[in-house]
Amino acid sequence: MKSISFQGELGAFSQVAADQLAGGAYRAVPLPAFDAVFASVANGKCDRAVIPIENTLHGSVHENYDLLLKYPLLIEAETSVRIVHNVIAPPGVRFSSIRRIYSHPVALNQCRRFFEKHPEIERTPFYDTAGTVKMIMSELPAGAAAIASAAAAHQYGASILRKSIEDDPENFTRFFLLALNHTKRRGARAKSPRQIKYKTSIVFSMRNVPGGLFRALAAFALRDLNLTKIESRPLRGRPWE
């Protein structure tokens, strides 16, 4: 059975993405940090990794752009996950008794209207959305709940008290499926070039001269190649470039 690593605890949105990308059964490997996720594939401990790269509201996950340069991994596929935030608590806990909600800072920030309607509830940052559910189910702090995915509630046997509390329903995160460059899909049927929809990511640098970006992008425009995203990253050791 192939293994797929991701950042966070079991039930994280990254695992939801892994479910969509795996195409069958797999062994989930939750890890504490993005760097550890990349390293798990680079050192051969895991077959694949799933990492978030962009959110429609929060923007790019810049750390993962830089890690794509650091590790020799191939982007095999991508998927988008609709981010639905839910208020989750241990079974038997009533919503009226909630006085503190834990979650990742980004998730808390995406539910500001909910907290405006419930000023009696305190927002408490935590390292991971699914990790908050794991924590409240194991420690059972009084008056506490979590904001996380329905998958996290199912994973840890918790109850959903309020569904879809995010401010914006058009909240999606794009995830990449990563593998080593030499990895091939075993048993995959060969397709003709016309059957394949190519999507390519390119990283390059250029001299800081007038019109440099225009000339670089002209190469794509003259060949009718569509650019879906451009991301600028700083060059280490070369300030302001």
Side-chain angles (χ1 to χ4, degrees):
M1 180 182 295
K2 64 183 177 182
S3 57
I4 299 179
S5 61
F6 55 87
Q7 187 275 330
E9 299 286 352
L10 293 173
F13 287 108
S14 290
Q15 187 177 8
V16 177
D19 292 343
Q20 295 179 189
L21 289 163
Y26 69 95
R27 180 172 62 88
V29 183
L31 294 171
F34 289 129
D35 194 279
V37 173
F38 279 78
S40 70
V41 179
N43 61 25
K45 291 184 178 180
C46 292
D47 299 303
R48 303 287 191 279
V50 169
I51 56 107
I53 199 68
E54 182 182 15
N55 178 264
T56 52
L57 305 181
H58 190 64
S60 299
V61 184
H62 294 123
E63 179 182 357
N64 286 340
Y65 277 100
D66 295 336
L67 289 171
L68 284 169
L69 291 177
K70 179 179 177 181
Y71 290 94
L73 303 185
L74 173 75
I75 302 171
E76 277 199 339
E78 70 172 49
T79 191
S80 293
V81 173
R82 164 83 161 83
I83 304 300
V84 179
H85 292 309
N86 308 282
V87 178
I88 299 170
V93 174
R94 295 185 177 182
F95 181 79
S96 58
S97 68
I98 301 301
R99 292 295 176 267
R100 175 176 294 179
I101 289 182
Y102 296 85
S103 196
H104 190 278
V106 172
L108 294 172
N109 190 53
Q110 292 178 347
C111 302
R112 286 180 292 181
R113 293 177 188 171
F114 168 83
F115 287 105
E116 289 173 359
K117 292 180 181 178
H118 301 281
E120 74 280 4
I121 299 178
E122 179 184 350
R123 289 176 277 189
T124 306
F126 205 71
Y127 75 97
D128 179 63
T129 53
T132 61
V133 183
K134 181 180 180 180
M135 182 273 292
I136 64 171
M137 290 299 293
S138 61
E139 300 181 13
L140 300 175
I147 289 177
S149 68
H154 176 74
Q155 175 70 37
Y156 300 105
S159 299
I160 297 177
L161 303 183
R162 293 289 187 275
K163 296 181 179 180
S164 191
I165 65 167
E166 64 277 1
D167 295 342
D168 193 332
E170 296 301 317
N171 186 359
F172 293 85
T173 297
R174 190 160 60 102
F175 292 85
F176 285 164
L177 179 67
L178 305 179
L180 281 173
N181 274 323
H182 59 74
T183 301
K184 302 293 184 182
R185 290 184 180 273
R186 294 182 179 179
R189 295 177 61 186
K191 294 183 178 181
S192 68
R194 292 186 179 182
Q195 292 177 302
I196 300 174
K197 294 183 178 180
Y198 289 100
K199 188 173 185 179
T200 303
S201 296
I202 301 173
V203 180
F204 62 92
S205 61
M206 65 186 74
R207 291 188 302 127
N208 187 13
V209 295
L213 181 61
F214 172 81
R215 286 193 287 271
L217 299 184
F220 299 99
L222 293 173
R223 291 162 179 80
D224 293 324
L225 297 176
N226 188 37
L227 301 181
T228 59
K229 182 175 177 63
I230 301 174
E231 182 75 27
S232 296
R233 302 297 304 135
L235 288 175
R236 298 289 178 92
R238 294 166 63 179
W240 314 120
E241 292 192 30

